Amino acid sequence: MQIGETIRKYRKERNMTQEEMAKRLGVTPPAVNKWENGNSYPDILLLAPIARLLDISVDTLLSFKEELTAEEIKQIIAEVDSRFQNSTYEETFDFIKKTLERYPNCEQLTWQLALMLDAHRLLKEVQDTDKYDLFITECYTRALESKNEDVRYSAAESLYNLYLRKEQYEEAEKYLEYFSKQNPERKRRQAVIYGKTGRKQEAYKAYEELLFADYQILSAVFNSLYMLALQEEDMEKAHYYVGKQEALARLFEMGEYYEIMGRLELAAVEKDEATVADTAEKMLSSIQGIRNFTESPLYGHVVFKNTESDLFTGDKMKQNLIKMFKEDEAFRFMNDNARWREILEEN
């Protein structure tokens, strides 16, 4: 809302005529009429008296809002989208500039409108597209100062993509600092920069580390889904998730141990003696190769820590497994199984 519209709105709410307002302020009625029609603006010295007369703040009078509501932003975005469809890029650009002049401190809106300008100049194959760079980058940079973490992240992402597209890789790399170090997207985007700037080995390493981390996360997710299925006593779904875990381990070349380990607990829950015995035997025989994934070409550039002294690898882990098989109540039903006893005795 422009200042003239604000004056008209609050003047009418107080049942005040233009003549009455003019008299109270010491100006002419035509002056008030020009304000309200947007043909001129009040003198700066009159802003405070006008605000007091209308019983509003100067910020309200100037239509200043630090933040817009989500619904207000949505309405502005819809209006801009409509203009992109029905007007020229240049006309929509001018509308966006004027809109942001009205809401200079709304970083969410600033980022979103800049993103729309950035995207549509590519979609519409706008001529002389570089002349809009300064305005768009200034908007993104302004959004970087937002108190809202999501807005800062989005602005950094937009600047990264803009400079990547322009093949200004050093500039693009700067904005990765705005990504959390725990965010895998930071590493993936860094890997892209490595690849684009000839640092191939670093790119391989970053991508492979992401793969290994993703396996661990996805495996944990499937295990959690499996546990939920058990709680619901949905055995069909439990088998489905165990199958997915096996396929996942196979895809990520984790080795036989990781491929079959999910079957053991499910077989024990179902009191499936043959599957328990078969799985346990395979786990015990494959445990010495539990770190074979470190030799897979899929992780050829990853430096894995030496875990020779780790209690959960090699012989130590085998001993722990046998102890679990012997003492865990989940396997008590196997005590009378001849093959089971033979497996434990041989190991």
Side-chain angles (χ1 to χ4, degrees):
M1 187 180 293
Q2 299 294 337
I3 186 171
E5 296 172 330
T6 303
I7 290 173
R8 179 186 294 112
K9 175 179 182 294
Y10 287 101
R11 174 181 64 77
K12 289 186 174 182
E13 284 185 5
R14 282 152 185 74
N15 295 316
M16 188 185 302
T17 65
Q18 289 183 346
E19 289 75 12
E20 290 172 328
M21 185 174 186
K23 184 176 181 181
R24 298 278 294 274
L25 293 172
V27 297
T28 64
V32 175
N33 183 268
K34 287 181 179 180
W35 297 344
E36 293 187 357
N37 289 319
N39 295 321
S40 67
Y41 297 99
D43 186 277
I44 191 170
L45 296 177
L46 284 173
L47 296 180
I50 292 172
R52 285 195 295 269
L53 179 62
L54 299 177
D55 195 24
I56 58 176
S57 68
V58 173
D59 282 350
T60 300
L61 177 63
L62 296 175
S63 300
F64 174 83
K65 295 180 77 172
E66 190 162 321
E67 287 296 340
L68 295 167
T69 66
E71 184 58 35
E72 288 172 324
I73 291 176
K74 184 178 178 181
Q75 290 173 359
I76 293 172
I77 295 300
E79 171 65 19
V80 169
D81 187 58
S82 175
R83 286 175 179 267
F84 270 123
Q85 303 303 321
N86 301 301
S87 303
T88 66
Y89 184 90
E90 183 70 37
E91 290 169 338
T92 307
F93 175 79
D94 291 339
F95 175 79
I96 287 176
K97 281 189 68 175
K98 291 176 182 177
T99 300
L100 292 180
E101 286 169 2
R102 292 170 61 187
Y103 307 110
N105 288 344
C106 184
E107 291 93 355
Q108 174 75 37
L109 181 67
T110 299
W111 166 69
Q112 286 192 252
L113 293 185
L115 184 65
M116 293 179 78
L117 280 172
D118 204 4
H120 277 276
R121 65 175 171 166
L122 299 177
L123 293 172
K124 289 195 170 187
E125 298 182 352
V126 176
Q127 299 298 315
D128 301 322
T129 181
D130 288 348
K131 73 178 182 180
Y132 302 104
D133 271 359
L134 180 61
F135 180 79
I136 291 171
T137 53
E138 283 180 348
C139 288
Y140 285 154
T141 303
R142 200 187 322 162
L144 282 176
E145 305 302 319
S146 174
K147 296 177 182 178
N148 185 311
E149 184 179 4
D150 290 338
V151 174
R152 291 198 307 273
Y153 172 86
S154 298
E157 182 179 35
S158 296
L159 283 163
Y160 168 89
N161 288 329
L162 185 148
Y163 286 113
L164 189 70
R165 193 170 67 238
K166 294 167 70 68
E167 299 183 2
Q168 296 179 20
Y169 303 123
E170 186 175 344
E171 196 66 28
E173 195 168 6
K174 292 178 183 178
Y175 296 100
L176 295 178
E177 293 299 320
Y178 288 86
F179 291 67
S180 166
K181 290 183 178 180
Q182 284 70 46
N183 187 343
E185 269 299 288
R186 175 172 176 163
K187 178 167 283 192
R188 188 190 68 79
R189 292 174 187 277
Q190 181 66 71
V192 172
I193 297 291
Y194 286 152
K196 295 287 187 181
T197 54
R199 291 174 280 179
K200 303 297 184 183
Q201 299 306 306
E202 292 167 278
Y204 272 121
K205 183 174 182 289
Y207 283 129
E208 290 168 9
E209 287 175 345
L210 282 171
L211 281 178
F212 189 69
D214 284 347
Y215 166 75
Q216 293 175 308
I217 292 170
L218 291 171
S219 181
V221 169
F222 278 126
N223 187 64
S224 296
L225 289 168
Y226 159 76
M227 295 301 295
L228 286 174
L230 282 188
Q231 291 172 21
E232 293 180 337
E233 298 183 354
D234 188 336
M235 303 313 293
E236 182 179 353
K237 189 179 289 185
H239 276 277
Y240 174 78
Y241 290 131
V242 167
K244 290 298 181 184
Q245 281 187 299
E246 289 184 23
L248 184 72
R250 193 174 303 115
L251 175 66
F252 282 80
E253 299 184 8
M254 296 303 296
E256 184 183 18
Y257 182 88
Y258 291 102
E259 288 179 25
I260 65 175
M261 60 184 289
R263 304 178 198 167
L264 186 67
E265 182 183 3
L266 183 55
V269 170
E270 295 182 321
K271 300 292 190 293
D272 181 349
E273 294 186 18
T275 301
V276 168
D278 183 58
T279 305
E281 186 173 37
K282 288 180 179 178
M283 288 175 66
L284 289 167
S285 66
S286 64
I287 204 166
Q288 292 297 338
I290 196 169
R291 284 176 55 80
N292 285 352
F293 64 84
T294 63
E295 300 172 9
S296 166
L298 204 55
Y299 313 110
H301 299 79
V302 178
V303 179
F304 291 98
K305 294 180 181 178
N306 189 334
T307 57
E308 286 300 318
S309 61
D310 195 315
L311 292 176
F312 297 98
T313 58
D315 292 335
K316 286 292 185 181
M317 189 168 182
K318 189 172 185 178
Q319 291 172 21
N320 290 331
L321 265 181
I322 294 171
K323 183 179 180 181
M324 181 185 72
F325 293 155
K326 289 179 177 179
E327 299 178 2
D328 196 314
E329 289 187 7
F331 300 101
R332 289 281 174 83
F333 73 97
M334 295 292 293
N335 287 346
D336 295 329
N337 185 290
R339 187 182 173 205
W340 180 253
R341 292 197 302 270
E342 183 180 335
I343 291 170
L344 297 184
E345 289 171 5
E346 287 179 353
N347 290 279

